[in-house]
Coordinates of all heavy atoms in Angstrom, one line a residue:
P1 N 20.8 9.3 -22.8 CA 21.4 9.8 -21.5 C 20.4 9.8 -20.4 O 19.2 10.1 -20.6 CB 21.8 11.3 -21.9 CG 21.1 11.6 -23.1 CD 20.7 10.4 -23.8
A2 N 20.9 9.5 -19.2 CA 20.0 9.4 -18.0 C 19.6 10.8 -17.6 O 20.3 11.8 -17.7 CB 20.7 8.7 -16.9
S3 N 18.4 10.9 -17.2 CA 17.8 12.2 -16.7 C 18.5 12.5 -15.4 O 18.8 11.6 -14.5 CB 16.3 12.0 -16.4 OG 15.9 13.1 -15.7
P4 N 18.9 13.8 -15.1 CA 19.6 14.1 -13.9 C 18.7 14.0 -12.7 O 19.2 14.0 -11.6 CB 20.0 15.6 -14.1 CG 19.0 16.1 -15.2 CD 18.7 14.9 -16.0
I5 N 17.4 13.8 -12.8 CA 16.5 13.7 -11.7 C 15.9 12.3 -11.6 O 15.0 12.0 -10.9 CB 15.3 14.7 -11.7 CG1 14.6 14.6 -13.0 CG2 15.9 16.1 -11.5 CD1 13.3 15.4 -13.0
S6 N 16.6 11.3 -12.3 CA 16.1 9.9 -12.2 C 16.3 9.4 -10.8 O 17.2 9.8 -10.1 CB 16.7 9.1 -13.3 OG 18.1 9.0 -13.0
Q7 N 15.5 8.5 -10.4 CA 15.5 7.9 -9.1 C 15.7 6.4 -9.2 O 15.4 5.8 -10.2 CB 14.2 8.1 -8.3 CG 13.9 9.6 -8.1 CD 12.6 9.8 -7.3 OE1 11.9 8.8 -7.0 NE2 12.3 11.0 -7.0
P8 N 16.3 5.8 -8.1 CA 16.4 4.3 -8.1 C 15.0 3.7 -8.2 O 14.0 4.4 -7.7 CB 17.1 4.0 -6.8 CG 17.5 5.3 -6.2 CD 16.9 6.4 -7.0
T9 N 14.9 2.5 -8.7 CA 13.6 1.9 -8.8 C 12.9 1.6 -7.5 O 11.7 1.5 -7.5 CB 13.7 0.6 -9.6 OG1 14.6 -0.3 -8.9 CG2 14.1 0.8 -11.0
D10 N 13.6 1.6 -6.4 CA 12.9 1.3 -5.1 C 12.6 2.6 -4.4 O 12.1 2.6 -3.3 CB 13.8 0.4 -4.2 CG 15.1 1.0 -3.8 OD1 15.5 2.0 -4.5 OD2 15.7 0.6 -2.8
A11 N 12.8 3.8 -5.0 CA 12.5 5.0 -4.4 C 11.0 5.3 -4.6 O 10.4 4.8 -5.5 CB 13.3 6.2 -5.0
F12 N 10.4 6.1 -3.7 CA 9.0 6.5 -3.9 C 8.9 7.4 -5.2 O 9.8 8.2 -5.4 CB 8.5 7.4 -2.7 CG 8.3 6.6 -1.5 CD1 9.2 6.6 -0.5 CD2 7.1 5.9 -1.4 CE1 8.9 5.9 0.7 CE2 6.8 5.2 -0.2 CZ 7.7 5.2 0.8
P13 N 7.9 7.2 -6.0 CA 7.7 8.1 -7.1 C 7.5 9.5 -6.7 O 6.9 9.8 -5.7 CB 6.5 7.5 -7.9 CG 5.8 6.7 -6.8 CD 6.8 6.3 -5.8
P14 N 7.9 10.5 -7.5 CA 7.8 11.9 -7.1 C 6.3 12.3 -7.2 O 5.6 11.8 -8.0 CB 8.6 12.7 -8.1 CG 8.7 11.8 -9.3 CD 8.6 10.4 -8.8
P15 N 5.8 13.2 -6.3 CA 4.5 13.7 -6.4 C 4.3 14.5 -7.6 O 5.2 15.1 -8.1 CB 4.3 14.5 -5.1 CG 5.6 14.9 -4.8 CD 6.6 13.9 -5.2
P16 N 3.0 14.6 -8.1 CA 2.8 15.5 -9.2 C 3.0 17.0 -8.8 O 2.9 17.3 -7.6 CB 1.3 15.4 -9.5 CG 0.9 14.1 -8.8 CD 1.9 13.9 -7.8
L17 N 3.4 17.8 -9.7 CA 3.7 19.2 -9.3 C 2.5 19.9 -8.6 O 1.3 19.6 -9.0 CB 4.0 20.0 -10.6 CG 5.3 19.7 -11.3 CD1 5.5 20.5 -12.6 CD2 6.5 19.9 -10.4
N18 N 2.7 20.6 -7.6 CA 1.7 21.3 -6.8 C 0.7 20.4 -6.2 O -0.5 20.9 -6.0 CB 1.0 22.4 -7.7 CG 2.0 23.4 -8.3 OD1 3.0 23.8 -7.6 ND2 1.8 23.8 -9.5
Q19 N 1.0 19.2 -6.0 CA 0.0 18.3 -5.4 C 0.7 17.3 -4.5 O 1.7 16.6 -4.9 CB -0.8 17.6 -6.5 CG -1.9 16.7 -5.9 CD -2.6 16.0 -7.1 OE1 -2.4 16.3 -8.2 NE2 -3.4 15.0 -6.7
E20 N 0.3 17.2 -3.2 CA 0.8 16.2 -2.3 C 0.2 14.8 -2.6 O -1.0 14.7 -2.8 CB 0.5 16.6 -0.9 CG 1.3 17.7 -0.4 CD 2.8 17.4 -0.3 OE1 3.2 16.3 0.2 OE2 3.6 18.2 -0.7
P21 N 1.0 13.8 -2.7 CA 0.4 12.5 -3.0 C -0.2 11.9 -1.7 O 0.3 12.2 -0.6 CB 1.6 11.6 -3.4 CG 2.7 12.2 -2.7 CD 2.4 13.7 -2.6
S22 N -1.3 11.2 -1.8 CA -1.9 10.6 -0.6 C -1.0 9.4 -0.3 O -0.4 8.8 -1.2 CB -3.3 10.2 -0.9 OG -3.4 8.8 -1.3
E23 N -0.9 9.0 0.9 CA 0.0 7.9 1.3 C -0.6 6.6 0.7 O 0.1 5.7 0.3 CB 0.1 7.8 2.8 CG 1.0 8.9 3.3 CD 1.2 8.9 4.8 OE1 0.3 8.6 5.6 OE2 2.3 9.3 5.2
V24 N -2.0 6.5 0.6 CA -2.6 5.4 0.1 C -2.2 5.2 -1.4 O -1.8 4.1 -1.9 CB -4.1 5.4 0.2 CG1 -4.8 4.3 -0.6 CG2 -4.5 5.4 1.6
K25 N -2.2 6.3 -2.1 CA -1.8 6.3 -3.6 C -0.4 5.8 -3.7 O 0.0 5.0 -4.6 CB -2.0 7.7 -4.2 CG -1.7 7.7 -5.7 CD -1.9 9.0 -6.3 CE -1.6 8.9 -7.7 NZ -1.1 10.1 -8.3
T26 N 0.5 6.3 -2.8 CA 1.9 5.9 -2.9 C 2.1 4.4 -2.6 O 2.8 3.8 -3.3 CB 2.7 6.7 -1.8 OG1 2.6 8.1 -2.1 CG2 4.2 6.4 -1.9
I27 N 1.3 3.9 -1.6 CA 1.4 2.5 -1.3 C 0.9 1.7 -2.5 O 1.5 0.7 -2.9 CB 0.6 2.2 0.0 CG1 1.4 2.8 1.2 CG2 0.4 0.7 0.2 CD1 0.6 2.8 2.4
V28 N -0.2 2.1 -3.1 CA -0.8 1.4 -4.3 C 0.2 1.4 -5.4 O 0.5 0.3 -6.0 CB -2.1 1.9 -4.7 CG1 -2.6 1.4 -6.0 CG2 -3.2 1.7 -3.6
E29 N 0.9 2.5 -5.6 CA 1.9 2.6 -6.7 C 3.1 1.6 -6.4 O 3.6 1.0 -7.3 CB 2.4 4.0 -6.9 CG 1.4 4.9 -7.5 CD 1.8 6.4 -7.5 OE1 2.7 6.8 -6.8 OE2 1.1 7.1 -8.2
R30 N 3.5 1.5 -5.1 CA 4.5 0.6 -4.8 C 4.1 -0.8 -5.0 O 4.9 -1.7 -5.4 CB 5.0 0.8 -3.3 CG 5.9 2.0 -3.1 CD 7.2 1.8 -3.8 NE 8.1 0.9 -3.1 CZ 9.0 1.2 -2.2 NH1 9.2 2.5 -1.9 NH2 9.8 0.3 -1.7
L31 N 2.8 -1.1 -4.6 CA 2.3 -2.5 -4.9 C 2.4 -2.8 -6.3 O 2.8 -3.9 -6.7 CB 0.9 -2.6 -4.4 CG 0.6 -2.9 -3.0 CD1 -0.9 -2.8 -2.7 CD2 1.1 -4.3 -2.6
V32 N 1.9 -1.9 -7.2 CA 2.0 -2.2 -8.6 C 3.4 -2.4 -9.1 O 3.7 -3.3 -9.9 CB 1.3 -1.1 -9.4 CG1 1.5 -1.2 -10.9 CG2 -0.2 -1.0 -9.1
D33 N 4.3 -1.6 -8.6 CA 5.8 -1.7 -8.9 C 6.3 -3.1 -8.5 O 7.1 -3.7 -9.2 CB 6.6 -0.7 -8.1 CG 6.9 0.5 -9.0 OD1 6.5 0.6 -10.1 OD2 7.6 1.4 -8.4
K34 N 5.8 -3.6 -7.4 CA 6.4 -4.9 -6.8 C 5.5 -6.1 -7.1 O 5.8 -7.2 -6.6 CB 6.5 -4.8 -5.3 CG 7.4 -3.6 -4.9 CD 8.8 -3.9 -5.1 CE 9.7 -2.8 -4.6 NZ 11.1 -3.0 -4.8
W35 N 4.5 -5.9 -8.0 CA 3.5 -7.0 -8.3 C 4.2 -8.4 -8.6 O 3.9 -9.4 -7.9 CB 2.7 -6.6 -9.5 CG 1.3 -6.8 -9.5 CD1 0.6 -7.7 -10.2 CD2 0.3 -6.2 -8.6 NE1 -0.7 -7.6 -9.9 CE2 -0.9 -6.7 -8.9 CE3 0.4 -5.2 -7.6 CZ2 -2.1 -6.3 -8.3 CZ3 -0.7 -4.8 -6.9 CH2 -1.9 -5.3 -7.3
Q36 N 5.1 -8.3 -9.5 CA 5.8 -9.6 -9.9 C 6.7 -10.1 -8.8 O 6.7 -11.3 -8.5 CB 6.6 -9.3 -11.2 CG 7.1 -10.6 -11.9 CD 7.6 -10.3 -13.3 OE1 8.0 -9.1 -13.6 NE2 7.8 -11.3 -14.1
V37 N 7.4 -9.2 -8.1 CA 8.3 -9.6 -7.0 C 7.5 -10.3 -5.9 O 7.9 -11.3 -5.4 CB 9.1 -8.4 -6.5 CG1 9.9 -8.8 -5.2 CG2 10.0 -7.8 -7.5
L38 N 6.3 -9.8 -5.7 CA 5.5 -10.4 -4.6 C 4.8 -11.6 -5.1 O 4.2 -12.3 -4.3 CB 4.4 -9.3 -4.2 CG 5.0 -8.1 -3.4 CD1 3.9 -7.1 -3.3 CD2 5.5 -8.5 -2.1
G39 N 4.9 -11.9 -6.4 CA 4.2 -13.1 -6.9 C 2.7 -12.9 -7.1 O 1.9 -13.9 -7.0
W40 N 2.3 -11.7 -7.3 CA 0.9 -11.4 -7.4 C 0.4 -11.2 -8.8 O -0.7 -10.8 -9.1 CB 0.5 -10.1 -6.6 CG 0.7 -10.3 -5.1 CD1 1.0 -11.4 -4.4 CD2 0.5 -9.3 -4.1 NE1 1.1 -11.2 -3.1 CE2 0.7 -9.9 -2.8 CE3 0.1 -8.0 -4.1 CZ2 0.6 -9.2 -1.6 CZ3 0.0 -7.3 -2.9 CH2 0.2 -7.9 -1.7
E41 N 1.3 -11.4 -9.8 CA 1.0 -11.3 -11.2 C -0.2 -12.2 -11.5 O -0.2 -13.3 -11.2 CB 2.2 -11.6 -12.0 CG 2.3 -10.9 -13.3 CD 3.6 -11.2 -14.0 OE1 4.3 -12.1 -13.6 OE2 3.9 -10.4 -14.8
G42 N -1.2 -11.6 -12.2 CA -2.4 -12.4 -12.5 C -3.4 -12.5 -11.4 O -4.4 -13.2 -11.6
C43 N -3.2 -12.0 -10.3 CA -4.1 -12.1 -9.2 C -5.2 -11.0 -9.3 O -5.0 -9.9 -9.8 CB -3.4 -11.8 -7.8 SG -2.3 -13.1 -7.4
N44 N -6.4 -11.4 -8.9 CA -7.5 -10.4 -8.9 C -7.6 -9.8 -7.5 O -6.9 -10.1 -6.6 CB -8.9 -11.1 -9.3 CG -9.3 -12.1 -8.3 OD1 -9.0 -12.1 -7.1 ND2 -10.0 -13.1 -8.8
F45 N -8.5 -8.8 -7.4 CA -8.6 -8.1 -6.1 C -8.8 -9.0 -4.9 O -8.2 -8.8 -3.9 CB -9.8 -7.1 -6.2 CG -10.0 -6.3 -4.9 CD1 -9.2 -5.3 -4.6 CD2 -11.0 -6.7 -4.0 CE1 -9.4 -4.6 -3.4 CE2 -11.2 -6.1 -2.8 CZ -10.4 -5.0 -2.5
D46 N -9.7 -10.0 -5.0 CA -10.0 -10.9 -3.9 C -8.7 -11.6 -3.5 O -8.4 -11.8 -2.3 CB -11.1 -11.8 -4.2 CG -12.5 -11.1 -4.3 OD1 -12.6 -10.1 -3.6 OD2 -13.4 -11.6 -5.0
D47 N -8.0 -12.1 -4.5 CA -6.7 -12.8 -4.2 C -5.7 -11.9 -3.5 O -5.1 -12.4 -2.5 CB -6.0 -13.3 -5.5 CG -6.8 -14.3 -6.3 OD1 -7.7 -15.0 -5.7 OD2 -6.6 -14.4 -7.5
I48 N -5.6 -10.7 -3.9 CA -4.7 -9.8 -3.3 C -5.1 -9.4 -1.9 O -4.3 -9.4 -0.9 CB -4.5 -8.5 -4.1 CG1 -3.8 -8.9 -5.5 CG2 -3.7 -7.4 -3.4 CD1 -3.8 -7.9 -6.5
F49 N -6.4 -9.2 -1.7 CA -6.9 -8.9 -0.4 C -6.6 -10.1 0.6 O -6.1 -9.9 1.7 CB -8.4 -8.7 -0.4 CG -9.0 -8.2 0.9 CD1 -9.1 -6.8 1.1 CD2 -9.4 -9.0 1.9 CE1 -9.7 -6.3 2.3 CE2 -9.9 -8.6 3.1 CZ -10.1 -7.2 3.3
C50 N -6.8 -11.3 0.1 CA -6.5 -12.5 0.9 C -5.0 -12.6 1.3 O -4.7 -13.0 2.4 CB -7.0 -13.7 0.3 SG -8.8 -13.9 0.2
K51 N -4.1 -12.2 0.4 CA -2.7 -12.2 0.6 C -2.3 -11.2 1.7 O -1.5 -11.5 2.5 CB -1.9 -12.0 -0.6 CG -2.0 -13.1 -1.6 CD -1.2 -12.8 -2.9 CE -1.4 -13.9 -3.9 NZ -0.7 -15.1 -3.7
I52 N -3.0 -10.1 1.7 CA -2.7 -9.0 2.7 C -3.3 -9.4 4.1 O -2.8 -9.2 5.1 CB -3.2 -7.7 2.3 CG1 -2.5 -7.2 1.0 CG2 -3.0 -6.6 3.4 CD1 -3.1 -6.0 0.3
D53 N -4.5 -10.0 4.0 CA -5.3 -10.5 5.2 C -4.7 -11.8 5.7 O -5.2 -12.9 5.5 CB -6.7 -10.6 4.9 CG -7.6 -11.2 6.0 OD1 -7.2 -11.0 7.2 OD2 -8.6 -11.8 5.7
T54 N -3.5 -11.8 6.3 CA -2.7 -13.0 6.6 C -3.4 -13.9 7.6 O -3.2 -15.1 7.6 CB -1.3 -12.6 7.1 OG1 -1.4 -11.7 8.2 CG2 -0.5 -11.9 6.0
D55 N -4.3 -13.4 8.5 CA -4.9 -14.2 9.4 C -6.3 -14.8 8.9 O -6.9 -15.6 9.6 CB -5.1 -13.6 10.8 CG -6.1 -12.4 10.8 OD1 -6.7 -12.1 9.7 OD2 -6.1 -11.7 11.8
G56 N -6.7 -14.3 7.7 CA -7.9 -14.9 7.0 C -9.2 -14.5 7.7 O -10.2 -15.2 7.4
D57 N -9.2 -13.4 8.5 CA -10.5 -13.1 9.1 C -11.4 -12.2 8.3 O -12.4 -11.8 8.7 CB -10.2 -12.4 10.5 CG -9.6 -11.1 10.4 OD1 -9.2 -10.6 9.3 OD2 -9.4 -10.5 11.5
G58 N -10.9 -11.9 7.0 CA -11.8 -11.1 6.1 C -11.6 -9.6 6.3 O -12.3 -8.8 5.7
E59 N -10.6 -9.2 7.2 CA -10.3 -7.8 7.4 C -8.8 -7.6 7.5 O -8.1 -8.4 7.9 CB -11.0 -7.4 8.8 CG -12.5 -7.6 8.8 CD -13.1 -7.4 10.1 OE1 -12.5 -7.9 11.1 OE2 -14.2 -6.8 10.2
I60 N -8.4 -6.4 7.1 CA -7.0 -6.0 7.2 C -6.8 -5.1 8.4 O -7.4 -4.0 8.5 CB -6.6 -5.3 5.9 CG1 -6.7 -6.2 4.7 CG2 -5.1 -4.8 6.0 CD1 -6.4 -5.6 3.3
S61 N -6.0 -5.6 9.3 CA -5.8 -4.9 10.5 C -4.6 -3.9 10.4 O -3.8 -4.0 9.4 CB -5.5 -5.8 11.7 OG -4.3 -6.5 11.4
L62 N -4.3 -3.1 11.4 CA -3.2 -2.2 11.4 C -1.9 -3.1 11.3 O -1.0 -2.7 10.6 CB -3.2 -1.4 12.7 CG -2.2 -0.3 12.9 CD1 -2.2 0.7 11.7 CD2 -2.3 0.4 14.2
E63 N -1.8 -4.2 12.0 CA -0.6 -5.0 12.0 C -0.4 -5.6 10.6 O 0.7 -5.7 10.1 CB -0.7 -6.1 13.0 CG -0.7 -5.7 14.5 CD -2.0 -5.0 14.9 OE1 -3.1 -5.4 14.4 OE2 -2.0 -4.2 15.8
E64 N -1.5 -6.0 9.9 CA -1.3 -6.6 8.6 C -0.9 -5.5 7.6 O -0.1 -5.7 6.7 CB -2.6 -7.2 8.1 CG -2.9 -8.5 8.9 CD -4.3 -9.0 8.7 OE1 -5.3 -8.2 8.7 OE2 -4.5 -10.3 8.7
L65 N -1.4 -4.3 7.8 CA -1.0 -3.1 6.9 C 0.5 -2.8 7.2 O 1.2 -2.6 6.2 CB -1.8 -1.9 7.2 CG -1.6 -0.7 6.4 CD1 -1.7 -1.0 4.9 CD2 -2.6 0.4 6.7
R66 N 0.9 -2.9 8.4 CA 2.4 -2.7 8.7 C 3.2 -3.7 8.1 O 4.3 -3.5 7.5 CB 2.6 -2.6 10.2 CG 2.2 -1.3 10.8 CD 2.7 -1.2 12.3 NE 2.4 0.1 12.8 CZ 1.6 0.3 13.9 NH1 1.1 -0.7 14.5 NH2 1.4 1.5 14.3
A67 N 2.8 -5.0 8.1 CA 3.5 -6.1 7.5 C 3.6 -5.9 6.0 O 4.6 -6.2 5.4 CB 2.8 -7.4 7.9
L68 N 2.5 -5.4 5.4 CA 2.5 -5.2 3.9 C 3.5 -4.1 3.6 O 4.3 -4.3 2.7 CB 1.1 -4.7 3.5 CG 1.0 -4.2 2.0 CD1 1.3 -5.3 1.0 CD2 -0.3 -3.6 1.8
L69 N 3.6 -3.0 4.4 CA 4.5 -2.0 4.1 C 6.0 -2.5 4.3 O 6.8 -2.1 3.5 CB 4.3 -0.8 5.1 CG 3.0 -0.1 4.9 CD1 2.8 1.0 6.0 CD2 2.9 0.6 3.5
A70 N 6.2 -3.3 5.3 CA 7.5 -3.9 5.5 C 7.9 -4.7 4.3 O 9.0 -4.7 3.9 CB 7.6 -4.7 6.8
G71 N 7.0 -5.5 3.8 CA 7.2 -6.3 2.6 C 7.5 -5.5 1.4 O 8.3 -6.0 0.5
L72 N 7.0 -4.3 1.3 CA 7.3 -3.4 0.2 C 8.5 -2.5 0.5 O 8.8 -1.7 -0.3 CB 6.1 -2.5 0.0 CG 4.8 -3.1 -0.5 CD1 3.6 -2.2 -0.5 CD2 5.0 -3.7 -1.9
K73 N 9.1 -2.8 1.6 CA 10.3 -2.0 2.0 C 10.0 -0.5 2.2 O 10.8 0.4 1.9 CB 11.5 -2.2 1.1 CG 11.9 -3.7 1.1 CD 13.2 -3.9 0.5 CE 13.7 -5.3 0.3 NZ 13.2 -6.3 1.2
I74 N 8.8 -0.2 2.7 CA 8.4 1.2 3.0 C 8.5 1.3 4.5 O 7.8 0.6 5.2 CB 6.9 1.5 2.6 CG1 6.8 1.3 1.0 CG2 6.5 2.9 3.0 CD1 5.4 1.4 0.6
P75 N 9.4 2.1 5.0 CA 9.6 2.2 6.4 C 8.3 2.7 7.1 O 7.8 3.8 6.7 CB 10.8 3.2 6.6 CG 11.0 3.8 5.2 CD 10.3 3.0 4.2
T76 N 7.8 2.0 8.0 CA 6.6 2.4 8.7 C 6.7 3.7 9.5 O 5.7 4.4 9.6 CB 6.0 1.3 9.6 OG1 7.0 0.9 10.5 CG2 5.6 0.1 8.8
E77 N 7.9 4.0 9.9 CA 8.1 5.3 10.5 C 8.0 6.5 9.6 O 7.8 7.6 10.0 CB 9.4 5.4 11.3 CG 10.7 5.2 10.5 CD 11.1 3.8 10.3 OE1 10.4 2.9 10.8 OE2 12.0 3.6 9.5
A78 N 8.1 6.2 8.3 CA 7.9 7.3 7.2 C 6.5 7.5 6.8 O 6.2 8.3 6.0 CB 8.8 7.0 6.1
V79 N 5.6 6.6 7.2 CA 4.2 6.6 6.8 C 3.3 6.7 8.0 O 3.5 6.1 9.0 CB 3.9 5.3 6.0 CG1 2.5 5.3 5.6 CG2 4.8 5.2 4.7
D80 N 2.3 7.5 7.9 CA 1.2 7.5 8.9 C 0.3 6.3 8.7 O -0.7 6.4 8.0 CB 0.4 8.8 8.8 CG -0.7 8.9 9.8 OD1 -0.8 8.1 10.7 OD2 -1.5 9.9 9.7
V81 N 0.7 5.2 9.2 CA 0.0 3.9 9.0 C -1.4 4.0 9.5 O -2.3 3.6 8.8 CB 0.8 2.7 9.6 CG1 0.1 1.4 9.3 CG2 2.2 2.7 9.2
E82 N -1.6 4.6 10.7 CA -2.9 4.8 11.2 C -3.8 5.6 10.3 O -5.0 5.4 10.1 CB -2.9 5.3 12.6 CG -2.4 4.4 13.7 CD -0.8 4.4 13.8 OE1 -0.2 5.2 13.1 OE2 -0.3 3.7 14.6
G83 N -3.2 6.7 9.7 CA -3.9 7.6 8.8 C -4.3 6.9 7.5 O -5.4 7.1 7.0
V84 N -3.4 6.0 7.0 CA -3.7 5.2 5.8 C -4.9 4.3 6.1 O -5.8 4.2 5.3 CB -2.5 4.4 5.4 CG1 -2.8 3.4 4.3 CG2 -1.4 5.4 4.9
L85 N -4.8 3.6 7.3 CA -5.9 2.7 7.6 C -7.2 3.5 7.7 O -8.3 3.0 7.2 CB -5.6 2.0 9.0 CG -6.6 0.9 9.4 CD1 -6.5 -0.3 8.4 CD2 -6.4 0.5 10.8
K86 N -7.2 4.7 8.4 CA -8.4 5.5 8.5 C -9.0 5.9 7.1 O -10.2 5.9 6.9 CB -8.2 6.7 9.3 CG -8.1 6.4 10.8 CD -7.8 7.6 11.6 CE -7.7 7.3 13.1 NZ -7.3 8.4 13.9
E87 N -8.0 6.2 6.2 CA -8.4 6.6 4.8 C -9.1 5.5 4.1 O -10.1 5.7 3.3 CB -7.2 7.1 4.1 CG -7.6 7.8 2.7 CD -6.4 8.4 2.0 OE1 -5.4 8.8 2.7 OE2 -6.5 8.5 0.8
L88 N -8.6 4.3 4.3 CA -9.2 3.1 3.6 C -10.5 2.6 4.3 O -11.3 2.0 3.7 CB -8.2 2.0 3.6 CG -6.9 2.2 2.7 CD1 -5.9 1.1 2.9 CD2 -7.3 2.3 1.3
D89 N -10.6 2.8 5.6 CA -11.7 2.3 6.4 C -12.9 3.1 6.3 O -13.1 4.1 7.1 CB -11.2 2.2 7.9 CG -12.2 1.7 8.9 OD1 -13.2 1.1 8.4 OD2 -12.1 1.9 10.1
K90 N -13.8 2.8 5.4 CA -14.9 3.7 5.1 C -16.0 3.6 6.2 O -16.8 4.5 6.4 CB -15.5 3.3 3.7 CG -14.6 3.5 2.6 CD -14.1 4.9 2.5 CE -13.1 5.1 1.3 NZ -12.3 6.2 1.4
N91 N -16.1 2.5 6.9 CA -17.2 2.4 7.9 C -16.6 2.6 9.3 O -17.4 2.4 10.3 CB -17.8 1.0 7.9 CG -16.9 -0.2 8.2 OD1 -15.8 0.0 8.5 ND2 -17.5 -1.4 8.1
S92 N -15.4 3.1 9.5 CA -14.8 3.5 10.7 C -14.8 2.5 11.8 O -15.0 2.8 13.0 CB -15.5 4.8 11.2 OG -15.4 5.8 10.3
D93 N -14.6 1.2 11.4 CA -14.5 0.2 12.5 C -13.1 -0.2 12.9 O -12.9 -1.1 13.6 CB -15.3 -1.1 12.0 CG -14.7 -1.8 10.8 OD1 -13.7 -1.2 10.2 OD2 -15.2 -2.8 10.5
G94 N -12.1 0.5 12.3 CA -10.7 0.3 12.6 C -10.1 -0.8 11.8 O -8.9 -1.1 12.1
L95 N -10.8 -1.3 10.9 CA -10.3 -2.4 10.0 C -10.7 -2.1 8.6 O -11.7 -1.4 8.3 CB -10.9 -3.8 10.4 CG -10.6 -4.2 11.9 CD1 -11.5 -5.3 12.3 CD2 -9.1 -4.6 12.0
V96 N -10.0 -2.7 7.6 CA -10.4 -2.6 6.2 C -11.0 -3.9 5.8 O -10.3 -5.0 6.0 CB -9.2 -2.2 5.4 CG1 -9.6 -2.2 3.9 CG2 -8.6 -0.9 5.8
N97 N -12.2 -3.9 5.3 CA -12.8 -5.1 4.7 C -13.1 -4.9 3.3 O -12.9 -3.8 2.8 CB -14.0 -5.6 5.5 CG -15.0 -4.6 5.7 OD1 -15.4 -4.0 4.7 ND2 -15.5 -4.4 6.9
V98 N -13.5 -5.9 2.6 CA -13.8 -5.8 1.1 C -14.8 -4.7 0.8 O -14.6 -4.0 -0.2 CB -14.2 -7.2 0.6 CG1 -14.6 -7.1 -0.9 CG2 -13.1 -8.2 0.7
S99 N -15.8 -4.5 1.6 CA -16.8 -3.5 1.3 C -16.3 -2.1 1.5 O -16.8 -1.1 1.0 CB -18.0 -3.7 2.2 OG -17.7 -3.5 3.6
D100 N -15.2 -1.9 2.3 CA -14.6 -0.6 2.4 C -13.9 -0.2 1.1 O -13.8 0.9 0.7 CB -13.5 -0.6 3.5 CG -14.1 -0.6 4.9 OD1 -15.2 -0.2 5.1 OD2 -13.4 -1.2 5.8

């Protein structure tokens, strides 16, 4: 029998009890969910970074992050995209690069 609290597969996973999920964690979980759909099965970190870095400059910009979210069907108005970028951007240059 189906659980009364089951969710459709494209819904965000529920947060752990008494803990707010970070938006980055939610996005990573969605990426893992969509790995095969995105054609990223068998890709390593560098391959995936290059797929997100669509202009090939070695950095992920706010626009590229928004495009990734759109590809994952995560509404950008439901996510603090700038906050996610800041959380990933360890050197505070406004971009995410491999060393971040």
Side-chain angles (χ1 to χ4, degrees):
S3 167
I5 56 172
S6 64
Q7 298 180 356
T9 57
D10 65 341
F12 286 100
L17 293 176
N18 302 322
Q19 183 181 351
E20 286 295 316
S22 95
E23 289 181 324
V24 171
K25 182 178 182 211
T26 301
I27 291 167
V28 169
E29 288 171 350
R30 281 296 284 266
L31 273 173
V32 171
D33 262 1
K34 302 288 185 181
W35 225 245
Q36 195 170 16
V37 173
L38 293 169
W40 293 359
E41 208 170 20
C43 293
N44 63 31
F45 175 81
D46 290 335
D47 294 337
I48 293 167
F49 189 92
C50 288
K51 289 177 185 292
I52 299 169
D53 176 26
T54 56
D55 65 7
D57 67 356
E59 299 170 320
I60 297 173
S61 67
L62 186 59
E63 293 75 27
E64 289 166 325
L65 184 55
R66 281 192 176 118
L68 171 65
L69 295 175
L72 294 172
K73 300 196 183 329
I74 299 174
T76 55
E77 60 275 357
V79 174
D80 176 11
V81 183
E82 290 87 0
V84 170
L85 186 69
K86 284 179 185 174
E87 189 174 335
L88 294 171
D89 179 19
K90 301 301 180 198
N91 65 2
S92 301
D93 65 356
L95 301 164
V96 177
N97 55 48
V98 175
S99 65
D100 286 332

